[in-house]
């Protein structure tokens, strides 16, 4: 661990983890957007260079964000229907 480095857990919605997208990450000096590639798994660690704690002489530590995939506790009827369709499609792909 370097001087000025920050380590945090970053929650990422399961849809963004699967399809890719961006999430807002709080840093010591404000919020930044972090790109999430498609297929990101829980536990993946991203380094945001220079987004950690400011150090003497103008240097800055890095921020390390470890992803935690979140899933909804409640789904709308439409969300449930769509996820059931995805489950069926995935079963078909695995069996072929």
């Amino acid at each position: 661990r370097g001087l000025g480095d920050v380590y945090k857990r970053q929650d990422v919605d399961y849809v963004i983890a699967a399809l890719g997208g961006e999430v807002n990450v709080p840093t010591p000096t404000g919020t930044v957007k972090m790109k999430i590639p498609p297929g990101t798994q829980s536990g993946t660690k991203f380094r945001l260079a220079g987004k950690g704690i400011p150090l003497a002489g103008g240097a800055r530590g890095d921020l390390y964000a470890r992803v935690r995939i979140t899933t909804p506790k409640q789904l709308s009827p439409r969300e449930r229907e769509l996820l059931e369709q995805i489950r069926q499609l995935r079963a078909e792909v695995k069996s072929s």
Side-chain angles (χ1 to χ4, degrees), residues 41-57:
Q41 301 295 306
S42 214
T44 301
K45 185 166 68 171
F46 292 92
R47 175 178 171 245
L48 284 72
K51 299 299 179 184
I53 297 171
L55 303 168

Side-chain angles (χ1 to χ4, degrees), residues 46-94:
F46 292 92
R47 175 178 171 245
L48 284 72
K51 299 299 179 184
I53 297 171
L55 303 168
R60 205 177 210 46
D62 297 332
L63 187 143
Y64 293 90
R66 187 171 302 275
V67 168
R68 182 177 74 169
I69 307 301
T70 59
T71 55
K73 293 184 180 181
Q74 294 183 340
L75 296 171
S76 71
R78 179 71 174 139
E79 287 173 317
R80 180 171 293 285
E81 176 187 337
L82 291 171
L83 285 173
E84 287 294 345
Q85 289 177 15
I86 291 169
R87 181 181 6 208
Q88 290 172 1
L89 287 170
R90 291 184 60 79
E92 290 170 14
V93 168
K94 287 181 181 178

